[in-house]
Amino acid sequence: GLHAEMWSIAVEGVAENQGITNAVLPPLNDVIDLLATRNASARRHLPSLVVGLLIASALAAMGTVGYGLGLTKNRHRFAAATLCLLVSVSLWTTIDLDFPSVGLIQINDAPLLELHASFVRTP
C-alpha cells in the first residue's frame, strides 16, 4: 500500500514538470525494488535438509569425541568442553542468522520506520 501511495505522490508531483520525471521516478522505482528484495531475502531460509545435516554433523562430531574420550584413561575434559561449546555456538549462530526477525541477532526496522515517518504528510 505504501509503495502505491509513494508512486502516486511522485507521479502527481512530476505531472506538472515533465523535465524532472527521469530524476524522480527511476530512483523511486529502485527504492521499491530494493525493499522487495530485502523482504524476499528475509523470508528465505536454509533448506530443512541443510539444517538437518548441520545438526546431524554436530551430533556425530560430539558423539565421536565422547566415544573417543571414553576409550582413553586420560580424559581431556577442557578440550572436549571447548569443542562442544564451539560446535554448539556455531550451529546456534547459523540458525539464528537464518531467522533475522527472531532470536538474539535481529534486523532492526527503525531506520525504515523513521524514513516513513518523515514522508507522512501533516495536515
Side-chain angles (χ1 to χ4, degrees):
L2 291 175
H3 292 168
E5 182 181 348
M6 287 186 336
W7 188 260
S8 66
I9 290 170
V11 169
E12 179 184 312
V14 299
E16 296 175 8
N17 188 353
Q18 294 293 325
I20 63 170
T21 301
N22 287 336
V24 173
L25 296 183
L28 180 59
N29 191 38
D30 290 343
V31 167
I32 292 170
D33 290 345
L34 285 172
L35 185 59
T37 302
R38 178 185 181 271
N39 290 339
S41 66
R43 284 187 223 106
R44 189 176 46 231
H45 299 292
L46 288 173
S48 300
L49 184 63
V50 172
V51 174
L53 183 62
L54 286 172
I55 292 171
S57 297
L59 289 173
M62 288 192 239
T64 302
V65 168
Y67 182 75
L69 289 176
L71 294 177
T72 64
K73 294 185 181 189
N74 185 11
R75 296 190 179 163
H76 302 283
R77 288 189 176 125
F78 179 75
T82 303
L83 176 70
C84 289
L85 180 68
L86 288 174
V87 169
S88 299
V89 167
S90 299
L91 185 61
W92 173 80
T93 303
T94 302
I95 293 173
D96 196 37
L97 282 172
D98 193 37
F99 294 93
S101 60
V102 295
L104 289 178
I105 304 170
Q106 293 186 4
I107 293 177
N108 191 349
D109 288 336
L112 293 175
L113 295 174
E114 290 172 9
L115 179 65
H116 176 260
S118 71
F119 288 145
V120 174
R121 294 183 184 178
T122 56

